[in-house]
Amino acid sequence: MTIELPPDTPVWLRGVTEPASMERGDNSSKVRVLRRLMTLTSPAREAAVLVLFEGSPEPGTGAPGGLPADAHVLLTQRASTMRQHRGQVAFPGGATDPEDEGPIDTALREAAEETGLERAGVQPLTLLPKLFVPPSRFDVTPVVAYWREPSEVRVVDPAETERVVRVPMSGLLDPANRFQVRSPLGYSSPAFQVDGMLVWGLTGGILAGLITGAGWELDWDRSDVRDLETSLAALGMTL
């Protein structure tokens, strides 16, 4: 699906609409093979997440990619009592309902249900390629959007969500907060440590791809690879 961008879309967000912004490296081919193997017996389930950026319409002066100083992204932390992905940091989103009209509708509905945001203030920008999540067999469509009219957000259902956070992009981009984590299964993931949270996995990969594609990236130590379980334990979290 192609979304026609309004002429007043912030310049600093136009880079995230380019297909090249989600180059995922060597892991992408491995995930495609795994998806084919895992969906031979049952089809993947459709889902969508809302990658929602907010910030001044005007680009920041001298900042990489024109990113304004007040740019934020909306993240949630799942409840530690959930059966799958407990305690993980994620974008708002979830499984597609039969009555949803497409990924955008799914992402906005789920975000409203999880965080209480007002859908009318969100301007969808682009749909990224589907990403397969093996543990849940979800085919996830990331919906990148601009929060043109930010509204109050909160934890709506504590049984599903522990935190709803507007995370400053400056914190995610700080080289001191960026590294990679290696899971017990041997795969590596881009990671960010910010506001007492570890952002990794699907969410970390999407953010890393968009940050690079939009030209917002600052130099960081790509040789810094840490054990995932140890990194989570340092924040009082577990797999």
Side-chain angles (χ1 to χ4, degrees):
M1 175 181 177
T2 301
I3 301 174
E4 183 175 351
L5 297 181
D8 60 348
T9 298
V11 172
W12 58 272
L13 274 171
R14 290 185 178 270
V16 302
T17 68
E18 298 297 326
S21 68
M22 276 305 294
E23 175 57 48
R24 302 178 65 228
D26 293 339
N27 282 337
S28 61
S29 60
K30 298 176 184 177
V31 170
R32 285 195 296 270
V33 171
L34 183 60
R35 182 192 184 281
R36 284 197 296 270
L37 292 174
M38 292 189 68
T39 56
L40 287 175
T41 55
S42 62
R45 298 184 293 169
E46 296 296 321
V49 295
L50 184 66
V51 186
L52 183 59
F53 294 102
E54 67 170 308
S56 302
E58 298 301 320
T61 302
L67 187 73
D70 63 349
H72 289 66
V73 65
L74 183 65
L75 296 176
T76 67
Q77 186 168 13
R78 299 185 185 280
S80 57
T81 54
M82 293 188 71
R83 184 170 60 88
Q84 289 185 329
H85 311 301
R86 58 184 180 274
Q88 287 191 18
V89 179
F91 300 112
T96 299
D97 281 352
E99 61 271 21
D100 289 343
E101 297 179 358
I104 293 175
D105 196 28
T106 297
L108 290 175
R109 174 185 56 76
E110 285 281 343
E113 292 175 359
E114 290 180 20
T115 73
L117 67 76
E118 297 290 339
R119 295 178 53 154
V122 176
Q123 176 193 325
L125 299 177
T126 192
L127 305 184
L128 300 179
K130 291 181 181 180
L131 303 171
F132 182 61
V133 182
S136 56
R137 293 177 178 263
F138 276 128
D139 261 344
V140 179
T141 300
V143 179
V144 182
Y146 176 49
W147 212 351
R148 189 172 291 281
E149 298 178 13
S151 55
E152 180 183 353
V153 289
R154 67 193 189 283
V155 172
V156 175
D157 184 355
E160 292 189 359
T161 307
E162 289 186 359
R163 298 179 66 190
V164 174
V165 189
R166 286 176 157 110
V167 176
M169 290 301 299
S170 59
L172 291 170
L173 294 170
D174 186 340
N177 296 335
R178 295 199 64 179
F179 47 95
Q180 296 188 74
V181 290
R182 180 176 289 115
S183 81
L185 297 177
Y187 66 84
S188 296
S189 162
F192 306 80
Q193 186 169 313
V194 62
D195 199 8
M197 302 182 299
L198 183 68
V199 186
W200 63 284
L202 179 76
T203 307
I206 292 172
L207 280 172
L210 291 176
I211 286 169
T212 300
W216 302 335
E217 195 163 34
L218 302 174
D219 287 336
W220 58 284
D221 184 3
R222 289 170 172 77
S223 67
D224 185 359
V225 182
R226 308 178 189 181
D227 178 71
L228 174 59
E229 291 182 309
T230 302
S231 299
L232 288 170
L235 298 173
M237 301 167 62
T238 61
L239 277 175

